[in-house]
Amino acid sequence: MPSSSSSSRAKPAIHLEVTGDLNDEVREVTDEFVFKTPCLITGLGAGVSSAMLGYLFGFGGYWISQRTSGTLRLANQGGLHSAKAFSVLGGLYAGVSCFMQRLRQKNDAVNAGASGCATGLVL
């Protein structure tokens, strides 16, 4: 059975130090740079995933409501129209929410409200 030595263990990303007396607060010390995804990439990713969801809703909704022959082409067009709308709205909402969170350094209802207002202006 292999012996476990302290030198073979991976270094933890975060370790805690106690400074001064034990009644003092514990502070977090990190040695790594934390990468934050740019808000443009966040918005684009949300737009792509929203487009996929919009296509499914548009295609399925048209397919169910119009059960006549030759509806596959029309259902595909309906799915594409929904995909465009969903991608713009979802991407814009996520992008503005990310931007507001970085600007204000808070994640609260004000960010969601500003994102909703910006999305509503596009409508």
Side-chain angles (χ1 to χ4, degrees):
M1 183 152 87
S3 64
S4 62
S5 64
S6 62
S7 63
S8 65
R9 292 184 185 175
K11 182 181 175 186
I14 297 174
H15 66 276
L16 300 175
E17 287 182 5
V18 177
T19 58
D21 193 13
L22 290 178
N23 294 330
D24 290 342
E25 66 182 58
V26 177
R27 64 185 171 107
E28 187 176 301
V29 178
T30 59
D31 296 332
E32 298 179 357
F33 172 75
V34 178
F35 178 75
K36 292 184 178 179
T37 306
C39 292
L40 180 65
I41 302 299
T42 302
L44 288 174
V48 169
S49 61
S50 296
M52 287 186 228
L53 190 62
Y55 180 79
L56 288 175
F57 285 154
F59 182 86
Y62 192 85
W63 184 263
I64 290 171
S65 67
Q66 305 292 325
R67 294 186 183 175
T68 59
S69 63
T71 59
L72 187 60
R73 181 175 48 86
L74 295 174
N76 188 33
Q77 288 176 352
L80 291 176
H81 289 295
S82 292
K84 289 177 192 175
F86 270 64
S87 67
V88 169
L89 297 178
L92 183 65
Y93 184 87
V96 172
S97 179
C98 175
F99 177 73
M100 290 297 293
Q101 184 176 357
R102 299 261 172 94
L103 182 68
R104 298 181 64 238
Q105 297 294 316
K106 293 180 185 177
N107 189 10
D108 58 0
V110 175
N111 297 346
S115 301
C117 287
T119 305
L121 287 174
V122 172
L123 289 176

